[in-house]
Amino acid sequence: MHELDSHSSAHDDIATPATPTRKRPKPGERREQILHTLAYMLETPKSDKITTASLAARLDVSEAALYRHFASKAQMFEGLIEFIEQSIFGLVNQIIAREEQGYRQVQAIMQMLMTFAEKNPGMTRVLTGEALVNEDARLQERINQLVDRLEISLKQSLRIALTQHQTGEGLDPSLRAALLINVILGRWQRFARSGFGKLPSEGLDAQLRVLLS
């Protein structure tokens, strides 16, 4: 996934300077701030491992304040993964509803996944598993499940493309979907390992024409 209030008083018709006071975050707002800050800190690939202490320091709150919203750092990462899942599969569903041609569905899904990574570099490190090293093993399992769901979505669109004679028949949809998943993961990893310099969308359309021919 931020403000000040002020008031003034008068004495003998002379106004005193406004005194800023801190507003209490609205319900859910602090939770969003924590997740937003965690994602932001992940945008520095070569930084030290993120701890609850460093996260609390960046937010200028105590570690106890973090634990009022999340029972553990693993739950914070789960919050990021939940955001990723909702965002990506919400867009996948929109693409499938909008595009009748299977080939166009695959193109649009692939392009969306690259654009999502470029707009959310810190979350790309979660998708590749790089940010989850030494974290709770269930986090990587959840990412694995997310990737499996993506593969299923691509396979369904490839089957449609095959029935519409929009793609070559030499490779069945299951094998082709697995190949596309490898391309996605490879482009995400290259993006993250290059310090977010190698954009995953670069040259994608040309490569897709080869992969789907």
Side-chain angles (χ1 to χ4, degrees):
M1 19 96 143
H2 293 151
E3 17 186 272
L4 293 174
D5 191 17
S6 63
H7 68 274
S8 62
S9 60
H11 179 67
D12 295 333
D13 297 325
I14 299 176
T16 59
T19 304
T21 57
R22 187 187 297 271
K23 274 189 177 180
R24 182 183 298 276
K26 297 177 182 177
E29 187 178 70
R30 177 64 77 192
R31 180 184 174 90
E32 291 180 7
Q33 288 176 340
I34 293 169
L35 295 179
H36 176 81
T37 302
L38 175 58
Y40 177 77
M41 293 175 72
L42 287 169
E43 292 182 14
T44 307
K46 295 181 181 180
S47 63
D48 294 334
K49 180 181 177 182
I50 297 173
T51 63
T52 53
S54 62
L55 180 58
R58 181 65 64 94
L59 284 160
D60 194 23
V61 300
S62 66
E63 287 186 73
L66 299 182
Y67 290 123
R68 284 197 288 270
H69 302 277
F70 297 94
S72 64
K73 188 170 63 166
Q75 278 196 1
M76 298 176 199
F77 274 107
E78 284 181 326
L80 283 185
I81 295 172
E82 183 177 348
F83 171 82
I84 293 169
E85 289 174 335
Q86 291 176 350
S87 300
I88 285 179
F89 290 106
L91 292 169
V92 166
N93 291 337
Q94 289 178 28
I95 290 167
I96 292 172
R98 182 179 71 243
E99 301 287 356
E100 293 183 0
Q101 296 183 6
Y103 185 91
R104 295 286 297 274
Q105 288 179 9
V106 174
Q107 280 185 312
I109 290 171
M110 294 287 288
Q111 186 62 53
M112 176 272 292
L113 292 172
M114 301 304 107
T115 302
F116 180 86
E118 291 173 10
K119 290 183 176 179
N120 302 279
M123 294 184 193
T124 303
R125 294 184 62 214
V126 176
L127 284 165
T128 63
E130 179 188 345
L132 304 179
V133 175
N134 299 322
E135 301 293 345
D136 194 302
R138 75 176 185 271
L139 298 172
Q140 185 60 59
E141 291 174 4
R142 188 161 176 180
I143 289 296
N144 293 344
Q145 292 169 2
L146 183 156
V147 172
D148 288 343
R149 287 178 62 192
L150 279 177
E151 186 171 347
I152 290 170
S153 295
L154 288 168
K155 182 166 59 178
Q156 291 171 340
S157 294
L158 286 165
R159 283 175 175 163
I160 294 172
L162 188 62
T163 61
Q164 294 171 336
H165 306 290
Q166 297 171 337
T167 185
E169 300 180 3
L171 199 62
D172 70 55
S174 295
L175 292 175
R176 204 177 292 255
L179 176 60
L180 291 178
I181 283 295
N182 288 335
V183 171
I184 292 165
L185 293 174
R187 283 176 169 262
W188 282 346
Q189 288 173 348
R190 188 183 185 203
F191 179 50
R193 290 174 181 174
S194 68
F196 310 124
K198 297 288 187 181
L199 298 181
S201 62
E202 184 179 350
L204 179 65
D205 289 341
Q207 289 190 10
L208 279 178
R209 285 194 292 272
V210 175
L211 292 169
L212 299 177
S213 61

